Amino acid sequence: MLSLDLFANAIVAGVLLGGFYAAVAIGLAIAFGQLDIVNIAHPAFVIVGSYVAYIVNTHFGLDPVLIGVLVAPVFFLVGVAIYRIYYAAFERTGQESLSGLAFFFGLMFIIEVVLILVYGVDYRLVRAGYIGETIELGFVGIPFRMMVPFVVATTGTTAIYLYLSRTFTGRAILAVAQDRLALQLMGADPVRIKQFAFGLAIATTAIAGSLLIIIGPVEPSLGRLYIGRVFAIVVLGGMGSIPGMFIAALILGIVETLVATFMGPSWAPAVAFGLLLLTLALRPSGLFGR
Amino acid sequence: MKPMMAIVRVLAILALMTSGSTLAQEPIKIGFSMALTGGLAPAGKAALIAMEIWRDDTNKKGGLLGRSVEFVYYDDATQPGKVPSIYTKLLAVDKVDLVVSSYGTNEIAPAMPIVMRKKLVFPSLFGLAVNDEFKYDRYFQIMPSGPEPKTDWSKGFFDLAMAQKPKPKTIAIVSADAEFSLNAAGGARKNAQRLGMKIVYDKTYPPSTTDFTPIVRAIQATKPDIVYVGSYPPDSVGMVKAANEVGLTTKMFGGSMVGLQFAAIQKNLGPMLNGIVNYDFWVPEPTLDFPGVKEFLAKYQAAAKGKGVDPLGHYLPPYAYAYLQVLAQSVQAVKGLDQAKLAAYMHKTTFDTVVGKVKFGSNGEWAKSRVLFVQFRDVQPNNLEQFAGPGKRVVLHPKEWKSGEIVYPYKK
Amino acid sequence: MKISVFWVSIVALLIAGLVFTEVVGNEYYFTALYVILQATMMAVAWNILGGFTGYVNFGSAAFFAVGAYTAIALDKALGLPLPLLILAAAAVCGLIGLGVGYLTLRLKGVYFAIATLAMAIVLETLVTNWTYVGGARGAYILTPENHLWFDSYIQMLFMLMLVLTLGSVAISRRLNSTRLGRGLAAIRDDEVAAECAGVPTLRLKLISTTVMGAMMGVAGAPYPFFVTFVDPVSAFNLFVAVNAIAMPMIGGTSHWIGPVIGALLVGSMQEIVTVNVSSELNVLIVGVMLVLFISLAPQGIVGLVQKHILRRRR
């Protein structure tokens, strides 16, 4: 059954899926990969982004991706606020690893329940002109529903990567994880930098959320399915490396899709996470880690 | 003095007993757990609304046995581990008079040993073949699967397929790795084997699957005559969208896809649903206009507004209302709460409910299967109201409830 | 003197438990206590690796679930009695714990945590595809007829869980206060320094992971008999893992009594809320509790008490 047609389509689908995974993981690549903040509530924020996209799309008919971009600044401010609480309660006192984790666990549940209380538990979906359309390139079909998230994810990742490596603030973010004291000596306030970075991380969830609801229906507890994936992607790619994260996301997407097409989808998670375990055993710093 | 006092006491008690209504001010308590959070919450909450409508309807008419009806319920959060403590509390601490089940096999099964030990009648809401394991004679399942639930579930799909000319020969079976869908697919497999069909694709997928395009492509590559899918709401949406995008060409597509009965999903999928033959339990076709169902749905739809649950309520709510009707009618008939008498009555009676006539077999399942197979037709995009009326989900099977002919083959 | 106080309390609790089963007929208490005791065992187990040794395990649900499924598999295959099932679960999960320890030799901190998460998902996928125990279809374990001299099966399960939990607390205490415990604490504080000081870090880490794994497996083994229907999604679920981390954190991770306090407090809270608040608010309450406690008392309740005592001494 190994036909070229099927294989080519599987690779393409895997790449598109991987791009989407990257969009979801990039915020965590910043928060966890670079700032060492174990934000286990990250997928919950993505779900909030999905709900925002749903509300605005239903009432005003705006395109979900546009909504994500418009709402991102609000999410940024939320991220800043949360970081301040986190900093005051944990980082300042040096408790971050375990207590921070528990803090974000609690936050995850609170977000989920608030969503349930406000919006109920029914599935939410969005409408956009391109959902359901496919372009055919020879024997390879590319559904818009998957392509749009891929394009947005690639653009966003590139933009963030360039920002981090070219601008002062961006490089300060990269620096703060590596050597906080040196950064202070260079005249930048590490707390403000980290605050900004975490805000940026949460801002990405607004867009990731709109991409998620383009792909499929969303309900409040859906975030739980993504916790494993996003952490796996960040670690596999290497902590602190944005390009590494993107490649790791692509690898995950392709592996999952190939296994689903040829072996049987039920083994896809085992293969994907087995790959992660192997990487951790052989090269813990990930593909491109610092 | 003492004998006098004793006689006075006895007389007083007799007086109280015969005065009937003064003592009977105590409400009848019905206890249960329901999934109000977690994966099964969308259905659980809708069921609760329906049950509360029943309670209010009943109390307006004077209650049960002249006593008002009260619910005592707790959220089991779709966690089976919570169910034992909830039911032991209901019985030992809240001292409820009657119990009914939560929604879904996962939540019904953990309560079984507890109700079995106390020998209670247990009307249950939508669990597949739970009693196959326990063989409890006081279990009653309102889901109309039929006497052999696992195979009866998909039998209609195959009957429809086999009635076509030429008969389809190959079948692809795909299902989610979860309890209900696996059981439904297993039944489908047995039916296919019984009919001598060739199974060209037989795989499962994990519930966390995001993209169904590769799965649909793999299915397409095997060129099946018919495709049977067992899925839950998010995957049902994914499969339908992927089938549409890939351009799945097969003669019949559908099966036991949960979620295609929910209003929000129907509205979003729109014309992509056309041609799909899927299971359902109640649709607004003229053949299913049971007494009371339209009034009930009107009340449900009013109550559901703004609560974040299915706005139309065609799938689970009528059955949630019906299983309480069955319980109440039995209580009225045996004029009391004796569980043995209730069980006996429930086994031998045909009940009149908002979902029509209900008759249980010896294993507590419906004596006759009434899993409907409907085909979506003429669905317009982005329109919720079209599903409130007939014509969009034509009943093809069973014959008694048929409201139209199949459009075969399904093609895109 | 201190040691005898501990053992006296253990015996007293056991006797109290037995008396409880004789005197109390209301079955609700037994189901509620079973749930709390199970959570206590998981918390105590987690803390051995997490609190004492400093390695955060995200995959607690996997050990619990494998313990449960080992019991199911052997019950189906050989019909063994429950105590043997528990031993088997301990052995299997202990081995897995040992394996995890070996494989993650070089991983520290967060990498170790992610590895445990990955391992949990791999194990879940394996169990989901293992049709002998029902796979994703789930497995039914019917309540056995035999419940010894107790009035009902749940009373026997309660007593069993009490014995197991007290046993695990005793083990945990031993690990905490002996030389072994000091070695673990050295690893937690600074592994490299400990290595340099001659602490056999590898051996201690392996002991830690093995004991933790075995204990969690033991906590999981009676679960199928309690809940009657087990499927991978509910056995491997997130709440088990969260509670296993949250309870020791709230109680205090450095002392053996921390997880016990945390589990009793949080477990009771969860149980009370489940059977009194009939809405989704109960999940909210747990989340808020967690956040508040962690923010205000990062060292847990034990930490608060210790600070208090220190202040008094001054």
Side-chain angles (χ1 to χ4, degrees):
Chain A
M1 243 189 37
L2 186 79
S3 70
L4 184 62
D5 175 332
L6 207 54
F7 186 73
N9 272 301
I11 297 284
V12 170
V15 168
L16 296 181
L17 183 64
F20 165 68
Y21 284 160
V24 180
I26 188 163
L28 197 67
I30 298 174
F32 178 54
Q34 291 168 348
L35 306 178
D36 284 320
I37 300 177
V38 192
N39 180 7
I40 203 149
H42 182 83
F45 284 104
V46 173
I47 303 292
V48 175
S50 299
Y51 269 86
V52 170
Y54 161 73
I55 299 291
V56 179
N57 176 267
T58 314
H59 284 129
F60 300 109
L62 286 179
D63 176 75
V65 179
L66 183 62
I67 298 172
V69 172
L70 289 175
V71 179
V74 178
F75 276 63
F76 174 82
L77 292 172
V78 171
V80 167
I82 292 182
Y83 179 77
R84 291 183 95 115
I85 301 174
Y86 173 78
Y87 174 72
F90 308 112
E91 263 192 356
R92 195 167 48 181
T93 49
Q95 298 295 332
E96 58 261 33
S97 52
L98 209 48
S99 311
L101 174 67
F103 170 74
F104 283 110
F105 257 129
L107 199 59
M108 177 180 82
F109 286 125
I110 294 176
I111 291 176
E112 197 177 302
V113 174
V114 168
L115 281 175
I116 295 176
L117 289 174
V118 176
Y119 296 112
V121 291
D122 207 8
Y123 286 95
R124 305 293 178 184
L125 311 98
V126 287
R127 303 203 63 82
Y130 46 77
I131 296 180
E133 301 296 318
T134 313
I135 41 172
E136 304 278 339
L137 300 174
F139 50 69
V140 173
I142 303 181
F144 270 88
R145 187 172 51 96
M146 300 301 296
M147 196 182 74
V148 169
F150 175 76
V151 169
V152 173
T154 319
T155 319
T157 308
T158 318
I160 289 182
Y161 175 64
L162 288 174
Y163 177 78
L164 286 177
S165 48
R166 303 285 158 90
T167 67
F168 179 76
T169 332
R171 281 195 272 186
I173 294 175
L174 288 176
V176 78
Q178 292 177 19
D179 197 329
R180 190 191 154 108
L181 184 59
L183 184 70
Q184 257 174 319
L185 292 174
M186 305 272 287
D189 177 359
V191 177
R192 285 193 66 110
I193 298 292
K194 283 182 132 178
Q195 180 179 290
F196 185 88
F198 194 75
L200 183 62
I202 300 297
T204 66
T205 63
I207 301 175
S210 59
L211 298 178
L212 177 64
I213 198 171
I214 288 177
I215 294 185
V218 170
E219 53 91 23
S221 67
L222 193 66
R224 298 186 201 172
L225 294 175
Y226 282 85
I227 296 178
R229 276 186 193 132
V230 291
F231 275 93
I233 290 171
V234 174
V235 172
L236 187 63
M239 305 276 276
S241 166
I242 301 290
M245 179 276 307
F246 193 78
I247 295 185
L250 287 179
I251 293 178
L252 192 70
I254 294 175
V255 165
E256 273 190 16
T257 312
L258 283 176
V259 172
T261 309
F262 294 107
M263 250 180 82
S266 44
W267 290 103
V271 174
F273 285 91
L275 191 68
L276 174 66
L277 279 174
L278 208 64
T279 313
L280 283 173
L282 299 174
R283 199 190 147 86
S285 53
L287 293 172
F288 295 84
R290 52 184 151 101
Chain B
M1 264 340 265
K2 271 213 179 132
M4 267 310 283
M5 285 309 298
I7 294 171
V8 168
R9 272 200 215 112
V10 169
L11 281 174
I13 293 172
L14 277 173
L16 273 173
M17 278 170 66
T18 48
S19 71
S21 47
T22 28
L23 196 62
Q25 286 317 313
E26 274 229 359
I28 292 190
K29 292 195 269 200
I30 303 183
F32 54 96
S33 80
M34 190 52 76
L36 300 175
T37 48
L40 291 178
K45 269 188 114 165
L48 184 62
I49 292 178
M51 290 164 80
E52 286 175 334
I53 293 176
W54 173 87
R55 177 199 57 197
D56 298 336
D57 280 354
T58 306
N59 285 334
K60 273 202 205 89
K61 296 206 199 98
L64 213 53
L65 299 177
R67 296 158 67 177
S68 69
V69 175
E70 224 177 65
F71 285 158
V72 184
Y73 65 88
Y74 304 113
D75 175 17
D76 59 37
T78 319
Q79 285 177 42
K82 285 193 186 254
V83 173
S85 28
I86 291 178
Y87 277 85
T88 44
K89 179 171 192 257
L90 287 171
L91 292 167
V93 178
D94 298 313
K95 300 219 192 307
V96 296
D97 302 294
L98 297 163
V99 287
V100 294
S101 81
S102 177
Y103 166 74
T105 309
N106 273 35
E107 318 296 319
I108 296 178
M112 291 290 285
I114 299 165
V115 302
M116 283 167 76
R117 204 167 44 241
K118 301 267 187 220
K119 299 204 182 2
L120 297 170
V121 162
F122 198 45
S124 302
L125 187 64
F126 284 41
L128 186 58
V130 175
N131 211 23
D132 280 4
E133 302 286 330
F134 297 97
K135 306 198 189 344
Y136 182 44
D137 60 356
R138 294 184 189 180
Y139 167 91
F140 297 95
Q141 174 55 256
I142 197 69
M143 183 168 72
S145 342
E148 273 166 62
K150 288 184 187 160
T151 41
D152 282 340
W153 190 274
S154 49
K155 194 157 168 303
F157 189 83
F158 288 90
D159 286 348
L160 278 170
M162 288 296 134
Q164 305 308 316
K165 293 188 193 8
K167 285 204 200 357
K169 294 213 188 56
T170 56
I171 177 171
I173 301 178
V174 64
S175 68
D177 261 332
E179 176 267 322
F180 160 72
S181 42
L182 274 182
N183 277 318
R189 201 173 294 120
K190 283 213 181 73
N191 281 319
Q193 285 161 351
R194 174 178 55 91
L195 293 165
M197 295 185 79
K198 184 157 173 251
I199 304 178
V200 292
Y201 181 98
D202 191 0
K203 297 224 188 2
T204 62
Y205 58 82
S208 57
T209 307
T210 313
D211 184 21
F212 289 85
T213 332
I215 297 175
V216 175
R217 277 194 204 280
I219 292 176
Q220 178 73 89
T222 61
K223 300 201 196 345
D225 286 331
I226 62 179
V227 178
Y228 185 92
V229 182
S231 56
Y232 285 85
D235 2 316
S236 303
V237 172
M239 288 291 279
V240 172
K241 289 195 169 163
N244 200 58
E245 286 155 2
V246 169
L248 180 69
T249 47
T250 182
K251 303 207 182 92
M252 210 159 112
F253 175 50
S256 39
M257 301 171 79
V258 184
L260 301 189
Q261 306 80 10
F262 300 167
I265 291 180
Q266 288 167 341
K267 177 178 170 192
N268 185 275
L269 289 175
M272 291 193 228
L273 289 168
N274 281 329
I276 294 181
V277 176
N278 199 35
Y279 87 98
D280 210 326
F281 294 131
W282 189 86
V283 287
E285 292 290 300
T287 47
L288 295 167
D289 192 5
F290 301 117
V293 70
K294 292 253 167 65
E295 290 84 0
F296 162 71
L297 282 173
K299 284 186 203 152
Y300 171 87
Q301 288 164 7
K305 277 203 175 69
K307 292 237 177 75
V309 289
D310 188 305
L312 288 180
H314 293 163
Y315 180 68
L316 188 58
Y319 285 84
Y321 191 93
Y323 89 145
L324 288 174
Q325 281 185 306
V326 166
L327 186 60
Q329 287 173 22
S330 310
V331 169
Q332 303 275 37
V334 309
K335 295 206 192 1
L337 301 169
D338 180 297
Q339 304 289 323
K341 289 204 190 116
L342 285 170
Y345 185 80
M346 285 168 82
H347 269 299
K348 71 171 200 270
T349 316
T350 303
F351 296 89
D352 275 307
T353 69
V354 292
V355 297
K357 293 205 186 301
V358 176
K359 171 93 174 62
F360 299 106
S362 54
N363 63 357
E365 304 282 347
W366 279 45
K368 194 153 177 275
S369 167
R370 207 183 71 190
V371 178
L372 305 171
F373 275 91
V374 306
Q375 188 170 39
F376 289 91
R377 288 244 260 271
D378 299 320
V379 178
Q380 304 304 318
N382 202 19
N383 177 338
L384 183 68
E385 295 68 32
Q386 65 185 322
F387 294 104
K392 302 297 168 184
R393 287 170 285 172
V394 174
V395 181
L396 304 172
H397 188 280
K399 267 204 290 287
E400 301 93 299
W401 315 104
K402 194 160 148 182
S403 67
E405 295 301 326
I406 187 173
V407 165
Y408 181 97
Y410 161 95
K411 226 184 359 201
K412 262 295 166 346
Chain C
M1 258 348 274
K2 257 201 149 170
I3 299 175
S4 346
V5 168
F6 175 75
W7 285 110
V8 165
S9 327
I10 295 278
V11 172
L13 281 169
L14 279 172
I15 296 179
L18 279 170
V19 169
F20 199 63
T21 60
E22 290 302 310
V23 164
V24 176
N26 185 335
E27 290 202 348
Y28 169 62
Y29 293 112
F30 296 106
T31 42
L33 283 170
Y34 178 92
V35 173
I36 295 175
L37 286 171
Q38 178 187 289
T40 310
M41 249 190 108
M42 291 294 290
V44 167
W46 185 91
N47 201 46
I48 290 177
L49 187 63
F52 295 168
T53 324
Y55 277 77
V56 176
N57 172 15
F58 260 172
S60 319
F63 291 101
F64 177 84
V66 170
Y69 270 96
T70 309
I72 293 176
L74 288 176
D75 179 65
K76 264 198 154 71
L78 304 170
L80 297 174
L82 192 50
L84 284 180
L85 294 175
I86 292 177
L87 277 173
V92 171
C93 292
L95 273 170
I96 295 181
L98 187 67
V100 168
Y102 251 125
L103 289 172
T104 57
L105 273 186
R106 292 186 288 163
L107 296 180
K108 304 222 184 338
V110 116
Y111 294 102
F112 177 81
I114 301 295
T116 57
L117 185 65
M119 173 216 70
I121 295 181
V122 171
L123 281 173
E124 182 177 353
T125 312
L126 286 174
V127 169
T128 303
N129 284 294
W130 188 17
T131 42
Y132 182 67
V133 290
R137 213 179 302 237
Y140 284 91
I141 300 290
L142 301 182
T143 312
E145 291 301 324
N146 179 15
H147 41 78
L148 303 177
W149 68 86
F150 296 96
D151 290 331
S152 68
Y153 195 74
I154 184 67
Q155 289 190 357
M156 186 178 84
L157 276 185
F158 157 74
M159 204 54 218
L160 179 67
M161 212 41 162
L162 184 63
V163 168
L164 292 172
T165 309
L166 290 175
S168 64
V169 172
I171 294 175
S172 163
R173 179 174 167 277
R174 207 152 159 78
L175 284 174
N176 191 196
S177 47
T178 57
R179 205 169 137 191
L180 187 68
R182 288 202 289 281
L184 294 176
I187 297 177
R188 179 189 64 214
D189 292 333
D190 193 328
E191 188 160 344
V192 177
E195 186 88 38
C196 295
V199 176
T201 53
L202 176 61
R203 182 146 53 96
L204 290 184
K205 271 196 319 199
L206 290 179
I207 292 177
S208 218
T209 53
T210 311
V211 172
M212 176 201 74
M215 241 187 233
M216 286 186 175
V218 169
Y223 179 71
F225 295 89
F226 173 72
V227 85
T228 315
F229 177 78
V230 181
D231 75 332
V233 172
S234 53
F236 282 89
N237 94 77
L238 190 63
F239 275 102
V240 175
V242 173
N243 274 338
I245 300 179
M247 289 172 177
M249 292 218 53
I250 289 179
T253 51
S254 52
H255 194 280
W256 63 265
I257 203 159
V260 178
I261 295 176
L264 287 177
L265 184 67
V266 177
S268 314
M269 179 98 263
Q270 285 179 345
E271 191 55 40
I272 291 172
V273 162
T274 303
V275 293
N276 282 295
V277 180
S278 58
S279 76
E280 41 278 308
L281 285 177
N282 63 42
V283 176
L284 183 65
I285 290 173
V286 173
V288 169
M289 243 188 92
L290 194 57
V291 170
L292 279 179
F293 247 100
I294 293 305
S295 313
L296 300 175
Q299 297 284 43
I301 294 179
V302 165
L304 279 179
V305 170
Q306 281 175 340
K307 255 196 270 176
H308 218 65
I309 296 178
L310 277 171
R311 234 180 268 146
R312 279 249 190 91
R313 286 217 184 123
R314 291 214 194 105

